[in-house]
């Protein structure tokens, strides 16, 4: 007995954890700075942590009430109906649910290259076929309607990320509208807003209200600091409510995760501190790194260092973990997550030293 042929499926290469690296290098975990996974440098929302402790005795029950309450609270924040919120265990799973609901075997999807690996992964899990549109480094990874539409050929789903991971580039809302208008009425535009809190650009939720072929994906992993809880959602047209009921895994979002999400939505202070620090860190990296960087709307900066693997390895040995972007098809670039002010200064100093040594 063997699994089906999975040879076309790429493996998601996650950023390495502090404990893993510390064990390998024989270092004290407290001496390491992890800036490789775009996590919140301040950790989880304190209100969310308190809520997890307060409701820990409820883990024996299925999350029915808390799921309903969190769905309603998110819907209220966006000014949409409850039925438009597809609550999911992570933003990745929101992508998966949309693929479950819309892709028939053999249908094609269009994904950005470079881009988040789970777009093609989720499509292939549901026997979809994958094509790519290129974001070119020579054009500063610009996201224009033409970039997408020149590669479009009746695809079932088109994925757009703004701010884009790992480059930080953004697509203007009017340009997203153009993509939706210029594609077939049976093409779904999935607009991934995982990093929207760190951008000054408007959300595309209003576009969901205008059209029946756009969905927005959000996560609690970044600004709210709940990456370890796995919580996300999609905002969709109201008419898709029945589809969500049919693709949703029973009780998919846990009781404590729902409670954490409910509390995190009220922790404006934590989000404001996180966003303010990320914007400071972006500018600090742009101004002080001895390497080319790209403007970013996310909580990270893409940096051209020559030999990304060598630089990332050398920085890691000095206690700073950054992301080698070779898996994104950018072997000359690393991605540095925005840390605290102290972490960011240390990362910049370390990367500058390493780049000088590697290129010498």
């Amino acid at each position: 007995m063997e699994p089906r042929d999975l040879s076309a499926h790429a493996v998601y290469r996650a950023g390495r954890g502090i404990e893993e690296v510390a064990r390998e290098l024989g270092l004290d975990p407290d001496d390491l700075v992890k800036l490789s996974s775009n996590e919140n440098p301040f950790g989880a929302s304190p209100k969310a942590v308190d809520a997890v402790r307060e409701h820990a005795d409820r883990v024996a029950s299925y999350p029915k009430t808390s799921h309903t309450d969190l769905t309603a609270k998110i819907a209220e924040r966006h000014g949409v109906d409850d039925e438009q919120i597809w609550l999911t265990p992570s933003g990745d799973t929101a992508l998966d649910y949309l693929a479950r609901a819309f892709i028939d075997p053999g249908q094609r999807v269009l994904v950005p290259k470079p881009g988040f690996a789970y777009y093609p992964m989720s499509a292939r899990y549901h026997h979809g076929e994958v094509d790519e549109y290129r974001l070119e480094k020579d054009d500063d990874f610009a996201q224009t309607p033409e970039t997408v539409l020149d590669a479009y050929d009746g695809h079932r789903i088109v994925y757009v990320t703004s701010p884009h991971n790992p480059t930080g580039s953004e697509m203007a809302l009017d340009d997203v509208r153009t993509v939706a208008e210029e594609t077939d009425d049976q093409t779904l535009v999935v607009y991934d807003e995982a990093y929207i809190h760190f951008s000054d650009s408007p959300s595309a939720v209003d576009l969901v209200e205008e059209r029946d072929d756009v969905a927005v994906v959000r996560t609690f992993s970044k600004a709210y600091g709940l990456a370890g809880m796995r919580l996300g959602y999609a905002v969709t047209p109201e008419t898709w409510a029945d589809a969500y009921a049919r693709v949703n895994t029973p009780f998919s979002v846990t009781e404590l995760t729902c409670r954490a999400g409910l509390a995190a939505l009220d922790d404006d202070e934590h989000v404001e501190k996180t966003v303010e620090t990320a914007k400071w860190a972006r500018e600090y990296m742009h101004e002080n790194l001895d390497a080319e960087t790209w403007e970013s709307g996310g909580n990270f900066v893409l940096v051209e260092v020559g030999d990304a693997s060598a630089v990332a390895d050398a920085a890691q040995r000095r206690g700073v973990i950054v992301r080698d972007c070779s898996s994104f098809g950018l072997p000359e670039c690393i991605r540095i997550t925005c840390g605290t002010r102290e972490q960011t200064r240390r990362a910049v100093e370390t990367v500058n030293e390493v780049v000088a040594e590697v290129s010498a």
Side-chain angles (χ1 to χ4, degrees), residues 153-317:
D153 184 24
H155 293 83
R156 179 60 165 166
I157 300 180
V158 173
Y159 295 89
V160 177
T161 321
S162 188
H164 177 265
N165 177 27
T167 70
S169 69
E170 300 183 68
M171 178 176 274
L173 189 56
D174 283 344
D175 289 341
V176 181
R177 182 179 285 106
T178 297
V179 170
E181 290 173 347
E182 295 298 322
T183 52
D184 295 345
D185 58 6
Q186 292 301 310
T187 293
L188 169 62
V189 177
V190 174
Y191 191 70
D192 187 349
E193 292 186 343
Y195 298 97
I196 191 67
H197 288 92
F198 305 100
S199 170
D200 295 325
S201 300
S203 169
V205 169
D206 286 347
L207 193 56
V208 176
E209 293 289 85
E210 296 175 18
R211 306 184 60 86
D212 65 356
D213 57 358
V214 175
V216 167
V217 171
R218 290 283 195 105
T219 181
F220 279 72
S221 294
K222 312 304 179 185
Y224 296 111
L226 299 185
M229 298 298 291
R230 314 307 295 134
L231 179 60
Y233 61 93
V235 185
T236 70
E238 188 175 2
T239 54
W240 300 358
D242 182 66
Y244 175 58
R246 294 177 185 276
V247 301
N248 185 26
T249 304
F251 305 110
S252 58
V253 183
T254 71
E255 173 70 15
L256 292 185
T257 299
C258 287
R259 297 294 175 182
L262 283 162
L265 286 173
D266 289 331
D267 202 342
D268 294 336
E269 181 179 350
H270 184 72
V271 173
E272 289 170 5
K273 179 175 70 171
T274 298
V275 171
E276 178 186 354
T277 304
K279 290 183 176 181
W280 174 88
R282 289 190 318 223
E283 289 309 307
Y284 186 86
M285 285 190 271
H286 290 320
E287 293 173 1
N288 293 280
L289 279 166
D290 297 331
E292 183 177 359
T293 62
W294 282 267
E295 290 297 321
S296 172
N299 66 336
F300 55 85
V301 170
L302 186 71
V303 188
E304 186 165 20
V305 294
D307 186 338
S309 295
V311 169
D313 182 67
Q316 181 173 275
R317 295 182 183 280

Side-chain angles (χ1 to χ4, degrees), residues 11-34:
V11 177
Y12 177 70
R13 304 292 183 187
R16 303 186 70 196
I18 285 180
E19 293 81 6
E20 176 188 4
V21 172
R23 285 196 301 267
E24 179 182 307
L25 299 180
L27 301 174
D28 185 339
D30 292 338
D31 293 335
L32 295 177
V33 173
K34 181 188 177 188

Side-chain angles (χ1 to χ4, degrees), residues 103-109 120 122-130:
I103 298 175
D104 283 325
Q107 289 186 315
R108 308 193 71 81
V109 306
S122 61
R124 289 189 175 112
Y125 290 151
H126 300 90
H127 305 282
E129 302 292 334
V130 178

Side-chain angles (χ1 to χ4, degrees), residues 42-77:
F42 298 110
S45 153
K47 290 185 178 181
V49 173
D50 289 344
V52 169
R53 293 194 180 103
E54 180 184 349
H55 295 94
D57 61 345
R58 301 192 184 190
V59 296
S61 301
Y62 291 116
K64 186 63 176 73
T65 301
S66 59
H67 187 286
T68 300
D69 291 347
L70 180 54
T71 298
K73 194 164 189 172
I74 294 171
E76 182 181 10
R77 286 292 180 94

